[in-house]
């Protein structure tokens, strides 16, 4: 696993293009839906709860299966599992595009997230198989740049496809467009990716994944129900969160003490910066996802903007975020430490609130809102770029992979939580 597979430069580049296409597919589908939400609402006569689950369901299933997806590749082979993930993601995308009811769409989005969780970890694992440590630095930087551009392009692409309305498909095209892209990734992966797996697979913790999944589900489900009305079932669901978390914690601890594979190592949470980093990751992702959901919906329902205009108005925020991640966090973190996170978080909160107030109550013009969106993106990027390095600063290198996996999982769960909370407040 440490030595790269002997391939020609052409073979390496073709394999890299395959992985980049898959990463773009996953990231774009996380953001492309925002601009289509009003169209989906009217097209399927969807409730507020269904709309929230259309986004949150993807993030939730992705988060719960992410670490399992990485271990599946270790055991069965990265190329094989990658192709399974791409095939499943493509089929789930077609199912989303053909959905006739809100329930069908939500179930298809859950399947999309699950397949994305199977596909995504294989891309990073294959990077280690394909390139030397020195080569990986530039390739991973390219991954980061492409990922950032894909996140910005998602809402713009979604708005453009809805505006074009090819074959009278409307919002369905944002999902069906994945079919030719997925077929390309499958064919390219079959021919160009090396077949490799870990010499020491770590195994699975199925019961731990189920217990933590139930804890998150019993928390999110009643929150998304707030706009529809609150009853005793929702109250019981919230009460069950603590018992499920306790059972999951005890289960994982027992697995670690017995020397068996566990969902995560509880000893990581004894490291104070890492523990705080997980909490910050959840709060940050919740705030960011909640803002983007409300922003996209409010532009179209309150200001009457088209899907394309809504997509284009995501660009100032995305531009600020890229500058914040690539420049501000990298240059200021070594000099000012944790205060970069504090300032970035405050900037993001205040400017995001100003944007939402400007859309509705203040009715600000776009020339006034665009600079505030850039500032909000700068705050978001400054905070986002600092969370991982600060969180894992005191984590032993032997646990670096598991710690990074937990951080990414926490961010996805935070995103789902933010959609449930912000969506319920907005729709109510």
């Amino acid at each position: 696993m440490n030595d790269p597979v002997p391939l020609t430069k052409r073979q390496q580049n073709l394999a890299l293009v395959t992985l980049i296409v898959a990463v773009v597919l996953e990231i774009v589908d996380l953001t492309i839906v925002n601009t289509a939400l009003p169209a989906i609402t009217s097209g399927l006569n969807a409730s507020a709860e269904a709309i929230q689950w259309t986004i949150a369901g993807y993030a939730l299933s992705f988060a719960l299966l992410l670490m399992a997806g990485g271990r599946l590749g270790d055991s069965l082979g990265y190329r094989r599992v990658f192709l399974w993930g791409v095939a499943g993601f493509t089929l789930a995308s077609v199912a989303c595009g053909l959905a006739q009811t809100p329930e069908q769409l939500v179930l298809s989005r859950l399947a999309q997230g699950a397949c994305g969780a199977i596909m995504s970890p294989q891309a990073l694992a294959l990077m280690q198989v394909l390139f030397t440590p020195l080569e990986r630095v530039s390739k991973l930087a390219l991954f980061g740049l492409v990922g950032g551009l894909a996140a910005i392009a998602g809402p713009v692409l979604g708005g453009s496809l809805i505006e074009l309305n090819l074959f009278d498909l409307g919002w369905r095209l944002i999902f069906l467009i994945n079919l030719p892209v997925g077929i390309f990734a499958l064919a390219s992966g079959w021919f160009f990716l090396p077949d490799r797996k870990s010499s020491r697979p770590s195994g699975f913790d199925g019961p731990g994944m189920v217990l933590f999944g139930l804890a998150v589900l019993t928390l999110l489900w009643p929150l998304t129900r707030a706009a529809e009305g609150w009853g005793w079932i929702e109250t019981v669901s919230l009460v069950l969160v603590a018992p499920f978390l306790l059972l999951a914690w005890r289960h994982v601890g027992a697995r670690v003490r017995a020397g068996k594979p566990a969902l995560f190592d509880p000893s990581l949470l004894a490291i104070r910066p890492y523990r705080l980093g997980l909490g910050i990751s959840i709060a940050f992702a919740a705030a960011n996802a909640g803002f983007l959901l409300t922003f996209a919906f409010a532009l179209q329902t309150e200001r009457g903007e088209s899907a394309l205009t809504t997509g284009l108005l995501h660009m100032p925020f995305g531009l600020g975020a890229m500058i914040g991640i690539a420049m501000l966090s990298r240059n200021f973190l070594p000099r000012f430490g944790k205060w970069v996170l504090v300032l970035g978080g405050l900037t993001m909160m205040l400017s995001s609130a100003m944007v939402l107030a400007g859309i509705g109550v203040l009715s600000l013009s776009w020339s006034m809102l665009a600079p505030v969106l850039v500032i909000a993106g700068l705050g978001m990027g400054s905070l986002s770029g600092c969370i991982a390095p600060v969180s894992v600063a005191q984590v032993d290198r032997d646990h670096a992979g598991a710690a990074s996996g937990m951080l990414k999982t926490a961010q996805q769960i935070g995103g789902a939580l933010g959609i449930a909370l912000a969506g319920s407040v907005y729709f109510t």
Side-chain angles (χ1 to χ4, degrees):
M1 178 67 186
N2 293 327
D3 299 323
V5 173
L7 297 174
T8 65
K9 283 293 181 185
R10 179 176 178 275
Q11 290 172 318
Q12 284 183 325
N13 290 332
L14 289 170
L16 180 63
V17 168
T18 303
L19 299 179
I20 287 175
V21 168
V23 168
V24 168
L25 197 63
E26 171 215 324
I27 294 174
V28 164
D29 260 70
L30 189 60
T31 59
I32 197 173
V33 180
N34 283 347
T35 50
L37 291 178
I40 293 172
T41 302
S42 59
L44 294 180
N45 194 25
S47 66
E49 181 183 4
I51 288 299
Q52 290 172 85
W53 273 109
T54 298
I55 308 177
Y58 181 97
L60 179 60
S61 59
F62 188 98
L64 295 179
L65 293 173
L66 183 61
M67 286 189 278
R71 291 177 178 179
L72 198 64
D74 289 340
S75 301
L76 301 178
Y78 306 118
R79 174 176 171 269
R80 178 190 299 180
V81 177
F82 175 83
L83 293 175
W84 287 355
V86 172
F89 193 94
T90 305
L91 291 174
S93 298
V94 173
C96 288
L98 299 178
Q100 299 300 309
T101 66
E103 292 77 17
Q104 290 176 8
L105 179 59
V106 169
L107 288 174
S108 300
R109 285 286 286 174
L110 286 167
Q112 255 194 331
C115 294
I118 293 172
M119 174 178 67
S120 179
Q122 317 318 321
L124 291 178
L126 284 164
M127 289 288 289
Q128 292 191 241
V129 170
L130 288 165
F131 303 105
T132 65
L134 188 60
E135 290 173 325
R136 274 177 230 146
V137 175
S138 61
K139 306 304 180 187
L140 287 173
L142 178 62
F143 258 56
L145 176 62
V146 170
L149 291 173
I152 297 172
V156 179
L157 178 62
S160 301
L161 291 174
I162 293 171
E163 197 80 8
L164 286 172
N165 194 26
L166 295 176
F167 310 110
D168 202 30
L169 288 170
W171 61 266
R172 298 179 184 277
L173 200 58
I174 70 170
F175 298 113
L176 295 176
I177 194 71
N178 289 343
L179 179 60
V181 179
I183 291 173
F184 170 82
L186 276 173
S188 181
W190 178 269
F191 287 109
F192 302 127
L193 293 179
D195 192 9
R196 201 72 180 266
K197 63 182 179 181
S198 174
S199 57
R200 293 182 296 174
S202 52
F204 299 95
D205 180 13
M209 188 171 64
V210 169
L211 287 170
F212 270 103
L214 287 171
V216 176
L217 189 61
T218 51
L219 174 63
L220 288 182
W221 182 74
L223 293 178
T224 58
R225 293 280 300 165
E228 307 293 326
W230 195 282
W232 67 269
I233 298 178
E234 288 79 11
T235 303
V236 170
S237 180
L238 278 180
V239 170
L240 290 174
V241 175
F244 279 132
L245 279 176
L246 180 61
L247 285 172
W249 181 265
R250 294 182 65 178
H251 166 83
V252 169
R255 297 271 295 190
V256 170
R257 288 191 295 272
K260 297 178 180 179
L263 191 62
F264 65 89
D265 189 345
S267 65
L268 286 171
L269 299 182
I271 304 171
R272 188 170 181 269
Y274 184 74
R275 188 169 65 246
L276 291 173
L278 280 178
I280 293 170
S281 294
I282 292 172
F284 158 74
N288 191 50
F291 166 71
L292 291 176
L293 166 67
T294 310
F295 176 65
F297 215 95
L299 281 174
Q300 296 179 70
T301 58
E302 295 183 30
R303 293 286 284 261
E305 300 295 343
S306 67
L308 177 58
T309 302
T310 300
L312 292 172
L313 285 168
H314 281 72
M315 294 182 70
F317 181 81
L319 175 64
M322 289 187 67
I323 295 173
I325 294 171
M327 298 176 61
L328 300 186
S329 61
R330 185 178 66 181
N331 293 322
F332 290 160
L333 183 61
R335 296 170 60 188
F336 302 108
K338 64 182 180 182
W339 294 109
V340 181
L341 281 82
V342 174
L343 184 59
L346 286 173
T347 302
M348 177 182 168
M349 284 190 295
L350 294 174
S351 50
S352 298
M354 182 64 180
V355 168
L356 295 179
I359 292 173
V361 179
L362 302 178
S363 298
L364 298 180
S365 65
W366 300 129
S367 59
M368 296 181 68
L369 276 177
V372 185
L373 278 166
V374 174
I375 295 171
L378 288 171
M380 178 268 190
S382 300
L383 178 57
S384 175
C386 294
I387 290 175
V390 169
S391 300
V392 301
Q394 296 182 20
V395 173
D396 189 275
R397 290 187 178 182
D398 291 338
H399 297 292
S404 299
M406 281 180 66
L407 273 176
K408 189 167 184 179
T409 299
Q411 288 174 353
Q412 294 293 332
I413 291 174
L417 183 61
I419 290 162
L421 285 169
S424 293
V425 171
Y426 178 75
F427 290 122
T428 301

